[in-house]
Amino acid sequence: MADHLALPSFLTDNSVVSALLDTYTSFSERRAALGLPNPGTVENVGREVQKDVLLSNFMFSGLRADLTKMFSMAPLFRVSHAFSMGGSGNMAPYAFSAMYGTSSVFMQGNFGSDGGLAALYNYRWTPKLVTKTNVQIMPGAEQGLIQLDNDYTGDDFSLSLKAFNPSYLDGGLTGIFVGSYLQSVTPKLALGFEAIWQRQGLNTRPESAVSYSARYKSDDWIASAQLQAQGVFTASYWKKISERVEAGVDMNLQFAPNAAAMMMGGPSKDGTTAIGAKYDFRASTFRAQVDSAGKVSCLLEKRIAMPIALTFAGEIDQAKQSAKVGLAVSLEIAGEEVMEQTEKADPSTMVTPPF
């Protein structure tokens, strides 16, 4: 059987193939000897500032209550009920969520009282290759969202291929396709790019764009930058001030041409800058942010007891003369068996689900 599947000898036993294999082996050995770290992904090139320090992913308004019941840690299984009132976003008044995860499978489903449905399924083929499937049905929308991701995490690089609403039913390929690659060049510097190809319908022309990324990681600070083909430049800087204090700056510049600006001699320029800080205390986390648009925001997460947590969010928009306030209560319940599993678990040996 092995002889039947083997390649013909004239494809392997020749000088050209041998030279290519020797070159690849030598290159791989030299590359492994450098000990370059994995730089993360292009999507998260500035995650320390944009997703950890700043309030973009944490800010909310109104009243919110989350009730979570943990049934098991290995495998991970829990359900939650979320209630909200008076929020300015699109959060449903009630939402039910269920989550299940093992070392190779992760599944999550969310159903809202407004008819919204979201389902996530991730599968880890190998320790380095993960496939992610995300399906969303928004209330009142004519078309839902289907997202397919394939992420490969190498020793010193990351490769990602994404597809949004891919289809071939109309006789041609439509949808949005994104490919990104981030490579560590030195132990501290990583360079990468992201290519986008999209076509909304067969009656429209396809569009493509390429953006470039750079990330430099020092001992206690990280700087990143991205240049997109649409004329958008983003840069961020993260600094570890002390063991419990982090700070970051995020800048976004847009050079978008328009008809009025071209008549005056050049494209329009617009930009915003946000500065934030994060303080980690023993049982609480405080975040504060101010930006060039006149917004001042803060968020406090406080662990009252083991199962209870309170979150307070506030924002003042000086330009619009408006203010937003949010208060959330989270209650997480777990049985005695789950608590014993958590206490006995060794974080160094635990394998997390493919989130």
Side-chain angles (χ1 to χ4, degrees):
M1 185 66 179
D3 295 338
H4 177 72
L5 296 177
L7 294 175
S9 59
F10 69 88
L11 293 179
T12 57
D13 300 339
N14 59 77
S15 59
V16 177
V17 174
S18 299
L20 292 176
L21 291 176
D22 293 341
T23 302
Y24 177 78
T25 302
S26 177
F27 175 76
S28 299
E29 292 177 352
R30 293 182 180 181
R31 183 169 160 184
L34 295 175
L36 300 178
N38 181 272
T41 62
V42 172
E43 182 181 5
N44 295 324
V45 70
R47 65 183 181 274
E48 289 81 6
V49 176
Q50 300 169 357
K51 297 186 177 182
D52 292 341
V53 175
L54 299 184
L55 306 181
S56 303
N57 297 330
F58 303 94
M59 196 63 196
F60 68 97
S61 61
L63 300 177
R64 194 177 71 188
D66 298 327
L67 176 61
T68 303
K69 172 64 176 179
M70 182 76 69
F71 292 94
S72 175
M73 285 292 296
L76 175 65
F77 179 54
R78 68 181 184 184
V79 298
S80 62
H81 307 268
F83 305 87
S84 65
M85 181 178 64
S88 59
N90 56 356
M91 192 172 182
Y94 169 76
F96 173 79
S97 175
M99 181 185 300
Y100 175 82
T102 64
S103 59
S104 58
V105 175
F106 175 74
M107 295 184 292
Q108 183 178 10
N110 298 276
F111 180 75
S113 58
D114 57 353
L117 177 64
L120 181 66
Y121 177 79
N122 300 348
Y123 186 79
R124 178 182 282 132
W125 302 92
T126 67
K128 296 183 178 181
L129 178 61
V130 176
T131 297
K132 302 178 181 180
T133 305
N134 186 8
V135 179
Q136 296 183 15
I137 300 177
M138 285 74 71
E142 298 181 357
Q143 184 180 13
L145 171 66
I146 299 178
Q147 180 179 344
L148 304 175
D149 298 0
N150 291 278
D151 299 333
Y152 185 85
T153 304
D155 295 333
D156 58 359
F157 72 94
S158 293
L159 176 65
S160 177
L161 299 175
K162 300 182 181 181
F164 299 86
N165 288 348
S167 176
Y168 205 82
L169 299 178
D170 298 332
L173 185 62
T174 59
I176 303 175
F177 302 88
V178 182
S180 61
Y181 181 82
L182 189 63
Q183 171 71 57
S184 291
V185 181
T186 68
K188 296 183 178 182
L189 177 63
L191 301 176
F193 70 93
E194 183 177 71
I196 301 176
W197 185 91
Q198 61 178 348
R199 190 175 188 180
Q200 301 298 331
L202 296 180
N203 56 348
T204 61
R205 297 181 57 183
E207 300 177 357
S208 60
V210 179
S211 62
Y212 303 94
S213 304
R215 174 182 170 91
Y216 188 89
K217 182 178 181 181
S218 184
D219 296 335
D220 58 352
W221 62 271
I222 299 174
S224 63
Q226 284 185 302
L227 178 61
Q228 301 179 8
Q230 297 86 352
V232 180
F233 175 77
T234 60
S236 63
Y237 177 80
W238 174 87
K239 173 70 175 178
K240 185 76 170 181
I241 299 177
S242 65
E243 182 181 357
R244 298 180 178 271
V245 182
E246 305 173 12
V249 180
D250 185 71
M251 179 183 63
N252 185 292
L253 298 178
Q254 299 182 5
F255 302 90
N258 55 59
M262 294 302 294
M263 293 179 62
M264 298 299 295
S268 62
K269 300 178 181 179
D270 187 17
T272 57
T273 302
I275 302 175
K278 175 185 176 183
Y279 298 83
D280 287 323
F281 301 99
R282 184 179 61 85
S284 62
T285 300
F286 177 76
R287 293 178 174 89
Q289 173 183 327
V290 58
D291 60 26
S292 58
K295 292 183 180 180
V296 180
S297 310
C298 68
L299 186 138
L300 175 64
E301 297 173 313
K302 176 69 175 178
R303 176 71 66 176
I304 303 299
M306 190 61 186
I308 304 175
L310 295 177
T311 303
F312 171 81
E315 179 183 276
I316 299 177
D317 193 334
Q318 302 289 347
K320 298 181 180 179
Q321 294 296 313
S322 62
K324 298 179 182 179
V325 177
L327 179 63
V329 180
S330 300
L331 177 62
E332 185 172 344
I333 304 174
E336 295 182 359
E337 296 181 358
V338 178
M339 297 297 294
E340 292 179 357
Q341 292 180 4
T342 305
E343 294 176 356
K344 296 179 180 179
D346 187 2
S348 61
T349 59
M350 291 182 60
V351 180
T352 59
F355 293 113

